[in-house]
Amino acid sequence: MDLDTFIDTWTRATVSELSGGQTFIIQLCRVLGVPAPNDQIVGDPDYAFERYLRFRGEGPSQRRMRADCYRRGAFVLETKASASSSGQLERDMERGLRQAEFYADRLERRPPFLVIVNVGRSIELWSSFGPDGGPYAPFPDAESHRIALEDLRRPEIRDRLVRVWMDPHSLDPTLQVRKVTAVVGRALAGLIPIIGSRLAADIAAASGASEIDPVHRQACQSKAANFLTQCILAMFADSTGRFENHAFLRLLERYRRTPEEFHRAAAQLFREMRRGGFSVILGQAIPRFDSEVLDAVAPIALTPADLDQLIAAARQDWRDVEPAVFGSLLERAFTTGERAAGGVHYTDVATIEAVVTPTIMEVLRAEWAEVRAGAARRAGQGRTDLARQILCRFHHRLCTVRVLDPACGSGNFLYVAMRMMRVLEAEVFVALEDLTDNQGRAGIGQRRVSRRRFMGLDIDPRAVWIARLVMTIADLQSEARRRVETAATRISVVRASHGAIVQRDALLAPGRSPAGLYRRGSTPRQSDWPDAEFIIGNPPYLGAAQARRQLGDAYVDDLWAVRQGRFRQADLVMCWWDRAARILARPKSRLRRFGFVTTNSIAQQGSRAVLAGHLEGEGAIHLVYAVTDYPWSGGSAASVRVAITVAEKTRSDRAGRLGRIVAERRGPDGASLLSLDETRGVIGSNLQISPDQTPVQPLKANALLASRGVQLMGAGFLVSPERAAQLAALSERSETAPTRPYLNGRDAAERSRNLMLIDFSGLSEAEARRRHPGFYEHLLETVKPERDRNRRQTYRDRWWMPGEPRQALRAALAGLGRFIATVEVAKHRWFHFVDAAFVPDNRLVCVASDDAALLGVLSSRAHRCWAEVFGGRLEDRPVYVKGSCFDPFPFPELTEVQRRALAELAEDLDRTRQETLARLPALTMTELYNLLARVRAGEALPPDAASTCTQARIRTLGRLQRQIDDLVEAAYGWPPGLTDAAVVERLSALNRQRARDEAEGVVLYLRPGWQMRRPASRAA
């Protein structure tokens, strides 16, 4: 059947003939030249009519459902048949869409397309290419997703349908965006540093210097960034029709033979763009561009290579360029030192969507589902006017949503939020048009989701103007896709988001400051945040210690004064989290949800206190979504992991969804593709599903035994054995050298550096100087200058001693020949015995016990599960937090037989590891456990790794570990086969029981002979 016959036949079909949905699909396939069901394989379950679908997570007893037509990996197709062109037909098409969505959402892999066919009349396309199950949206947009039969005469429409059938992922719009953005990125990537460096070299040559100072070098980079951004704005104007006939590209090409003259013409053009009106340079009327990007026009002479790069970029269709690329532009405008000083980071679009979706879109889409259902009911009752009013009210509500990013940087979060909300707005338009034969938009006038509702704060003026530009460009792209071009619309003013995105310190503001910026010496107050329904963002990351070094003592002191000392040990990012949480908890607060990207250290002790303060007990807010270890590029090649947390006000149900990454791979275009598994429950401050809402408590039984090691506060305390011998020669003959072997986390996890600690603990400065003049002189030279700059007076006054000598730990270790230790931050959680001659570093968590049975319990699966839930995380590595991992852990009551057996196994485990490392000097403890993990996973090992496994006795270690696990779980009285979650739940219940027992005076001390003599232990 040819195309004309197909269109003519189905256009004239009677109502009874319209029921032949399968016939219509088969003939459509013939016209398109694609196979129909059963053409290639008869009975093919992956491409069939009336296909029964098996849904994920549903057993054989579930009701079977079938789709009208299904092609695996391509589409679910539903057919409806009606000769009507209004009313009932639109409701039928809506039901077909919801039915297809229902099927798609329950399949193991969602197809990228839903195809809704009005037999003999039209075909609707809906798409969702995201791997995270995002909503289906009209494809390619709300205006052209419905294909009438007459539209099939257009070759591009037929090509679109062929690709839906045969290569659906080739239609993913993000592929074109990434492709064009990559081309643009390659063309422009080096221009800022190249031009900036050339400017700096010219200034240095003019002054006769070899190089210029960092401040002027950065000014050159900023000048280059500003000039390039002005060019980019002109390129967008070219592609979006604001300049006729790609006038800026033609201007670039005109100066190809004289590139050194281009900057003069460009400077004139940028001034004309700022004013608007007739452009002499372009020879046409142009709009006024209301952007401060054009405020400072500083021409920069270009080389032929520079101009070629600009021409290559200008030839691209900038309607397909991702506006978020300006995050990278901003990054290149900063020097590395500036970025580090501010804790500035940049977030990729996929990560932004992972925040915006649970924070904003889940709320709005839940509302939309209710509105859409209500409008459908009214329309079904024949009350079309009321249905239209319901949809118009929702659109008005959508247009009044206010979103705030209080650390907006280059505006990428605001842009992505606006883009996603406009996709939802397009669905509202489709529903309105379907309701009344394309007349439904009459009720909404010119109102649209406006960029002015997306508000941002940032302290950096360059970030602010680039954020405004990003939002302006996003509007240009959006308008270009929907605007009917006229001379009037082409030269209408291009306005920036001046009032929505402002330069302001988000944490501190002086008492009187028109610019809203903190100034040292002024009376500080808390900075004002605009009212918003949703807060999103990626605030700067700086640890508590780094904040003082980077921001200065005065700023940090004022910050803590304004915050009344709240959470001093938390990462700086938690100041934003705490502020948003306090706004959310206010009575009658407008804020619905907030969501932030933070470091994984949010679950560590210092930052975790912020979460605990808001979430635990009768907290007014709770986490609705969280995921840790989320991969994040942030414009850096380094592998960084972040946490995403989304909070809302608590009403009745405190449960949330905890995401866990189960698979991670790179797509063909290099984009990260993730598979997440979600668990529902109450998410605790450790970003784990809490087995019970009652927090665990530290136990008296464990008191005073665990501590971090010595914190030096000065690298000069560590010397080689040879250097120690030289310094000891100057000590009094009767004195023993004040040195002891030192062990830190790296020494334990890898190989010992054999360093010695100069340990003057217990000696006054005068005693140290008289008895050990050589060691004293060494510390005077290497440690005292650093200590003199320390803010803490005790560190300055007692400079010859370690900053935190851990006297309580020293007392607990007295008389022991060995103690137990674990590396605080490590990929694998293992414990081992350390000779008491060693002084442990503060990156080791030490347990003052020589009991091998205690080592066995700490080495067991039970304790590993506990530490995984109640510990913290630093990037992708678990952190063993003494206060939450050891102090509340309920050790089992061992019988004497169990104690002896467990002690024997633990001794064997420790001895086997130490002998292996002594025999294989190239192996480390981390590598040993890496091999053990691979063997446990059943991985096929290459010959060299298999040989190492044999030499390292990996399977022996694995067997010892399993025997310890089984014995400990038997000691708790547990049945075999418990899941990790069940183990933690039982241990949490046991903790609560032990706490009640201890309140009644029953304490199962781990080291009773020593603990019971300490009043602090009895009162713990």
Side-chain angles (χ1 to χ4, degrees), residues 183 503 551 582 609 894:
V183 172
Q503 183 188 2
L551 304 177
R582 297 178 77 181
L894 299 170

Side-chain angles (χ1 to χ4, degrees), residues 56 66 124 134 174 396 415 527 530 586 690 692 719 748 972 984:
R56 62 170 179 251
R66 59 189 181 186
E124 287 186 7
T174 63
H396 180 271
Y415 153 69
S527 182
R586 289 176 188 163
S690 302
D692 188 286
V719 294
Y972 279 113
V984 175

Side-chain angles (χ1 to χ4, degrees), residues 852-875:
L854 186 60
L855 174 65
V857 176
L858 292 172
S859 301
S860 70
R861 170 180 173 249
H863 190 66
R864 288 197 306 276
C865 291
W866 176 274
E868 177 70 21
V869 170
F870 291 102
R873 297 197 79 81
L874 182 61
E875 296 177 356

Side-chain angles (χ1 to χ4, degrees), residues 111-132:
F113 279 97
L114 304 180
V115 182
I116 315 301
V117 175
N118 173 17
V119 177
R121 297 293 180 264
S122 63
I123 302 165
E124 287 186 7
L125 298 180
W126 297 74
S127 67
S128 174
F129 291 96
D132 57 351

Side-chain angles (χ1 to χ4, degrees), residues 441-610:
R441 287 203 203 181
I444 62 173
Q446 297 301 310
R447 182 183 288 273
R448 296 291 186 274
V449 171
S450 167
R451 68 176 184 266
R452 291 175 177 79
R453 312 296 292 186
F454 296 84
M455 304 169 293
L457 310 176
D458 203 280
I459 195 171
D460 192 304
R462 290 167 301 188
V464 169
W465 63 249
I466 289 183
R468 292 173 179 169
L469 180 62
V470 166
M471 300 299 280
T472 300
I473 286 171
D475 254 12
L476 284 174
Q477 290 178 320
S478 180
E479 289 173 7
R481 294 188 184 105
R482 71 170 184 256
R483 186 179 67 230
V484 177
E485 188 65 67
T486 66
T489 58
R490 188 181 65 77
I491 63 171
S492 60
V493 177
V494 179
R495 300 187 184 279
S497 305
H498 289 293
I501 300 175
V502 298
Q503 183 188 2
R504 182 185 303 168
D505 187 319
L507 301 179
L508 282 181
R512 292 179 296 276
S513 174
L517 299 178
Y518 167 80
R519 287 197 298 266
R520 185 173 297 177
S522 58
T523 302
R525 62 177 176 82
Q526 185 172 261
S527 182
D528 296 326
W529 286 13
D531 284 341
E533 278 190 69
F534 303 101
I535 294 176
I536 52 177
N538 173 30
Y541 310 158
L542 280 177
Q546 291 90 340
R548 285 195 175 276
R549 288 196 294 270
Q550 304 291 2
L551 304 177
D553 289 340
Y555 184 94
V556 175
D557 288 341
D558 284 348
L559 178 61
W560 294 132
V562 167
R563 290 172 48 77
Q564 301 175 336
R566 292 167 57 85
F567 310 120
R568 285 177 176 269
Q569 299 306 310
D571 191 300
L572 184 69
V573 67
M574 301 310 294
C575 293
W576 276 263
W577 208 101
D578 179 53
R579 177 73 185 282
R582 297 178 77 181
I583 294 172
L584 182 62
R586 289 176 188 163
K588 299 182 180 180
S589 173
R590 180 176 184 173
L591 184 61
R592 298 280 299 277
R593 286 185 179 181
F594 71 84
F596 287 128
V597 176
T598 68
T599 57
N600 259 347
S601 62
I602 189 174
Q604 281 188 254
Q605 200 162 15
S607 296
R608 182 172 167 178
V610 180

Side-chain angles (χ1 to χ4, degrees), residues 134 198 213 332 463 576 655 833:
R198 191 166 62 242
D213 62 84
R332 289 187 172 90
W576 276 263
F833 277 128

Side-chain angles (χ1 to χ4, degrees), residues 284-306:
Q284 60 181 257
I286 64 173
R288 177 169 67 86
F289 289 80
D290 182 20
S291 173
E292 64 266 64
V293 170
L294 300 170
D295 285 349
V297 176
I300 298 176
L302 301 181
T303 66
D306 297 339

